[in-house]
Amino acid sequence: MAINEYLESRKNIAGSVCGLAGLVLTFTGVAGPYWPVVVAGLYGAGALIAPPERPAPPAFPDPSARLDEIRADLERLHAYLADVDLPPAAAGRLTELMDLLGGLLTPGWATEVLAEDPEGVHTLTRAVRQDVPESVDAYVRTRWWSRMTPGGEPPERHLERQLGLLHEEAAALAARLRETEERRQESHTRYLEDRSN
């Protein structure tokens, strides 16, 4: 423990208070010629009875900071998707999905509600960092192989289904957040009604 830390510690503060009490006893004549022993003894006793130092709890990032990270990842995902050539139907579904994800992450009161929903934050994180990139990358790789050996199911169908499922998941999250706000509004209405009675 550094000297500055000890000077600010509970043990030093409690010992100092008890040492000051020893000085008061010395000036009132109670301690007599043994005043150094009384002051040191009271300081030591105070240091011993002081509660132990409590370690500071870990500082975890604020949930809104996590949303900032996801927002930055969404921008990187947009840059990646701009370079990928997709068929029109899949491109339309992807645009709808990206608009919905962007809307959920737009700073404001909606993200305040989202920050309070760890499951929702996880859903968005997984969609942005894993599901959308994996779906598009798998389509690009499979499309190349399907050109080499035609005859299988077109990779566009899988991509469209995947994007549709991801859109449903994001829409369900948006609906859940809306319901949370509706319940909050209803609770406030009931509170005001009960208060007026």
Side-chain angles (χ1 to χ4, degrees), residues 3 10 25 27-28 35 43 56 66 68 70 78-79 95 98 117 124 129 139 142 167 170 175-176 181 183 186 192:
I3 293 177
R10 294 177 184 182
L25 291 175
F27 291 128
T28 58
W35 70 268
Y43 176 87
R66 190 161 177 213
D68 290 339
I70 301 169
H78 272 293
T95 300
M98 295 300 286
D117 184 3
L124 280 179
R129 294 180 179 167
Y139 162 75
T142 307
H167 189 275
R176 194 170 75 233
E181 285 300 289
R183 283 195 303 272
E186 290 168 4
L192 292 175

Side-chain angles (χ1 to χ4, degrees), residues 97-158:
L97 174 61
M98 295 300 286
D99 288 346
L100 182 54
L101 294 175
L104 287 168
L105 287 168
T106 300
W109 62 266
T111 52
E112 292 173 12
V113 177
L114 179 61
E116 301 293 322
D117 184 3
E119 186 178 326
V121 172
H122 175 69
T123 299
L124 280 179
T125 303
R126 187 180 58 212
V128 170
R129 294 180 179 167
Q130 179 182 347
D131 294 334
V132 174
E134 176 63 26
S135 296
V136 173
D137 186 55
Y139 162 75
V140 170
R141 287 182 281 125
T142 307
R143 180 181 61 180
W144 184 83
W145 284 106
S146 66
R147 289 178 184 165
M148 301 287 288
T149 57
E153 186 175 7
E156 299 87 38
R157 286 194 195 146
H158 283 288

Side-chain angles (χ1 to χ4, degrees), residues 32-119:
Y34 303 107
W35 70 268
V37 175
V38 171
V39 171
L42 285 174
Y43 176 87
L48 287 175
I49 63 170
E53 292 297 320
R54 183 177 56 87
F60 294 112
D62 185 28
S64 60
R66 190 161 177 213
L67 292 178
D68 290 339
E69 293 172 10
I70 301 169
R71 224 175 270 120
D73 291 342
L74 185 65
E75 290 302 316
R76 283 194 289 278
L77 181 59
H78 272 293
Y80 161 71
L81 295 173
D83 295 335
V84 178
D85 182 32
L86 296 176
R93 283 191 180 263
L94 183 61
T95 300
E96 291 174 5
L97 174 61
M98 295 300 286
D99 288 346
L100 182 54
L101 294 175
L104 287 168
L105 287 168
T106 300
W109 62 266
T111 52
E112 292 173 12
V113 177
L114 179 61
E116 301 293 322
D117 184 3
E119 186 178 326

